Amino acid sequence: MRTRLSICAKKARYATEAEAVAAIAAATITLRHYTCDRCGQFHLTSRTKGKRIARPVTI
């Protein structure tokens, strides 16, 4: 699904995937990052319907 330009403009943008992952780690809710097809940067979303959630890595 293509991101609407108005939604892209409202969301926080992260230049790198590492920045987006760091923001997810600091969040108190379940989030995932994705590359925006409008701006080419990363956004966060809480929508998980139909998406596989990666299991946490235990070391």
Side-chain angles (χ1 to χ4, degrees):
M1 176 182 259
R2 188 170 171 107
T3 304
R4 291 193 321 251
L5 189 56
S6 61
I7 298 299
C8 174
K10 292 178 185 178
K11 289 192 168 195
R13 294 179 179 160
Y14 301 93
T16 65
E17 186 174 11
E19 290 177 11
V21 171
I24 291 170
T28 58
I29 60 173
T30 302
L31 296 172
R32 67 177 190 85
H33 65 282
Y34 65 95
T35 306
C36 179
D37 56 1
R38 295 288 185 157
C39 66
Q41 295 185 338
F42 293 90
H43 295 300
L44 304 181
T45 184
S46 61
R47 296 190 74 181
T48 58
K49 185 175 181 180
K51 303 294 181 188
R52 291 181 178 237
I53 305 299
R55 292 184 180 169
V57 177
T58 55
I59 297 175

